[in-house]
Amino acid sequence: MRPVTIQDIKLHVVVLPLVELLKTSFGAEPHKTAIIVEAVSRSGLTGWGEISVKTKPSYGAETVLTALHVARDFLIPKLHGKTLASPSEVPSLLASVRGNNHARAGVEAAVWDLMAKANDMRLADYFAVHLPGNAPRNAVSVGVSIGIQDSLESQIALVKKRLDEGYRRIKLKIEPGWDVAVARAIRQRFPTISLMLDANSAYTLEDAERLKQLDQFDLLMIEQPLAYDDIYEHSQLQPQLRTPICLDESIHSAHDWQVALRLGAGRILNLKPARVGGFTESLKIYQLYAETQTPLWIGGMLETGIGRAANLSFAALPAVNLPSDISATDRYFNPDITEPPFVLEPGSCISLPDGPGIGVEVQRDRLAEAASRWRAVNPFAPLWD
Ligand code: OSB
Ligand code: MG
């Protein structure tokens, strides 16, 4: 494998209009925000990564401004001029910076793309170099995540629209008061679809009786019912439910997931490479799965084509055995900042692009336009409340 010397890393804060809002138990932001990371090698190649953060610390603690500060002032200076034999050396170079997993993951992702390109490999194949015996698939099984709606009728209509488009796994966002009735209405209308719910931490253990009522709807899983920083109480809840609990917000590392498995806090992991600090840590978690054959899928954060292409490449690894939250481009942006768009194919699949690295091309004009939208807002004013 060819080593790479990091010449420069630039950051572009972007704002993109979303085709459809995703209202969760913590609200909805009307725009997509992210920091695009552009890493340039001494030989003149460019790698792209995405720090997918919101303007508010709602899903996680990081925001656009915290990630900008941490990436620019702490992470990037540690990589300048370094020669790497593998992107898996990045976490140790950044080890003196604690937390800030999304910022760390986006910077690491740009190095993964850069080094896959330097070795003229698709990112998925380059991941597999680090995981011998795990040749990637060329198409990834995917589902779609649908936000909280104003009425059951509009929820049913949106599910129908997504099924008509070809999605074969539907995830609905829930919160107290928008849960049992929604699951019942959708199940009555669509008795056999593959259905799951995501609570984004909206419940407490005191809601156990209410959550038990969801068992009757034959759900694939319920994602993160309890607090965003909890593992223990999920271990108290899981034995009371037949529905598997899938953890999202609570898991920040391979270690967290081992703790959760030992406690019985959940049976499935929504692996978001960004939430666990990057692809190197994700590969560690992947190896736990490859050994135990437990269900694994890749989550999303409404990434632009840059982050989504990288997640898709990871989701192509063979032990990722449940549909991932990686939908077609037209579910998110029109247009995205990358080309070509991702399209949903028969069997609820998305194909890996052929090119080296993430395999999609960043459109410089659209990147510049998205960055000018950010410069047009006052980043210190309370945004979009
Ligand atoms: O909880 O999985 C989540 C999006 C933003 C923040 C949190 C979540 C989500 C999604 C969307 O569910 C998944 C996607 O990118 O399509
Ligand atoms: Mg979730």
Side-chain angles (χ1 to χ4, degrees), residues 190-218:
F190 309 105
T192 59
I193 61 166
S194 179
L195 182 66
M196 58 177 288
L197 306 177
D198 185 357
N200 287 108
S201 309
Y203 296 85
T204 70
L205 258 190
E206 281 163 27
D207 300 311
E209 287 307 316
R210 182 152 197 89
L211 293 168
K212 276 193 226 174
Q213 291 179 47
L214 297 170
D215 274 342
Q216 62 188 299
F217 303 119
D218 187 26

Side-chain angles (χ1 to χ4, degrees), residues 31 70 155 165 167 177 181 185 195 212 293 335 355:
H31 299 83
V70 169
Q155 182 74 270
E165 287 171 350
Y167 289 102
L195 182 66
K212 276 193 226 174
Q293 301 294 307

Side-chain angles (χ1 to χ4, degrees), residues 124 127-129 131-137 286-287 290 316-319:
F127 286 141
V129 168
L131 277 174
N134 283 271
R137 293 168 294 218
Y286 180 91
Q287 272 161 318
L317 293 170

Side-chain angles (χ1 to χ4, degrees), residues 22-315:
L22 183 72
K23 184 172 174 218
T24 65
S25 57
F26 55 72
E29 287 190 22
H31 299 83
K32 158 75 188 171
T33 52
I35 305 173
I36 303 305
V37 184
E38 179 183 5
V40 182
S41 72
R42 188 156 292 168
S43 58
L45 289 170
T46 298
W48 297 97
E50 175 171 347
I51 307 174
S52 189
V53 274
K54 296 165 177 276
T55 56
K56 299 177 200 162
S58 49
Y59 166 81
E62 294 173 82
T63 69
V64 171
L65 290 180
T66 70
L68 192 60
H69 169 50
V70 169
R72 185 192 59 194
D73 300 334
F74 301 108
L75 303 176
I76 291 172
K78 295 194 190 311
L79 298 180
H80 264 147
K82 292 284 187 317
T83 300
L84 306 175
S86 160
S88 59
E89 294 167 19
V90 170
S92 55
L93 291 169
L94 305 181
S96 61
V97 180
R98 291 190 181 171
N100 297 285
N101 280 2
H102 287 267
R104 180 192 296 284
V107 171
E108 195 202 286
V111 177
W112 275 97
D113 181 39
L114 180 63
M115 294 195 69
K117 284 172 175 157
N119 286 284
D120 198 25
M121 294 174 87
R122 294 186 307 180
L123 182 57
D125 297 315
Y126 193 54
F127 286 141
V129 168
H130 295 76
L131 277 174
N134 283 271
R137 293 168 294 218
N138 287 321
V140 173
S141 171
V142 303
V144 65
S145 179
I146 302 178
I148 293 170
Q149 304 298 311
D150 294 334
S151 68
L152 291 177
E153 292 67 41
S154 54
Q155 182 74 270
I156 291 169
L158 248 183
V159 171
K160 176 158 189 327
K161 176 177 164 202
R162 295 305 181 202
L163 292 169
D164 290 347
E165 287 171 350
Y167 289 102
R168 288 290 166 270
R169 192 233 60 195
I170 301 289
K171 162 166 145 181
L172 301 180
K173 297 288 186 177
I174 57 164
E175 64 185 355
W178 183 262
D179 43 29
V180 177
V182 180
R184 179 173 291 120
I186 298 298
R187 258 296 167 247
Q188 273 172 359
R189 180 69 176 75
F190 309 105
T192 59
I193 61 166
S194 179
L195 182 66
M196 58 177 288
L197 306 177
D198 185 357
N200 287 108
S201 309
Y203 296 85
T204 70
L205 258 190
E206 281 163 27
D207 300 311
E209 287 307 316
R210 182 152 197 89
L211 293 168
K212 276 193 226 174
Q213 291 179 47
L214 297 170
D215 274 342
Q216 62 188 299
F217 303 119
D218 187 26
L219 302 171
L220 205 53
M221 67 191 91
I222 176 166
E223 202 176 317
Q224 195 73 30
L226 307 182
Y228 74 94
D229 54 354
D230 169 76
I231 294 177
Y232 176 72
E233 290 192 345
H234 283 92
S235 80
Q236 303 295 104
L237 179 63
Q238 178 65 91
Q240 302 185 55
L241 301 181
R242 267 189 294 123
T243 307
I245 291 177
C246 169
L247 292 178
D248 175 356
E249 282 89 330
S250 300
I251 305 300
H252 300 280
S253 61
H255 174 79
D256 281 352
W257 182 235
Q258 275 172 309
V259 170
L261 283 176
R262 282 193 202 150
L263 285 175
R267 301 197 197 120
I268 302 174
L269 178 63
N270 170 344
L271 173 55
K272 290 182 182 166
R275 199 193 57 230
V276 303
F279 289 116
T280 304
E281 191 70 14
S282 299
L283 288 169
K284 279 193 206 159
I285 293 176
Y286 180 91
Q287 272 161 318
L288 293 176
Y289 272 101
E291 287 157 21
T292 58
Q293 301 294 307
T294 43
L296 173 63
W297 57 286
I298 305 305
M301 300 277 300
L302 307 177
E303 284 85 356
T304 75
I306 294 173
R308 198 138 23 92
N311 284 350
L312 188 74
S313 304
F314 199 91

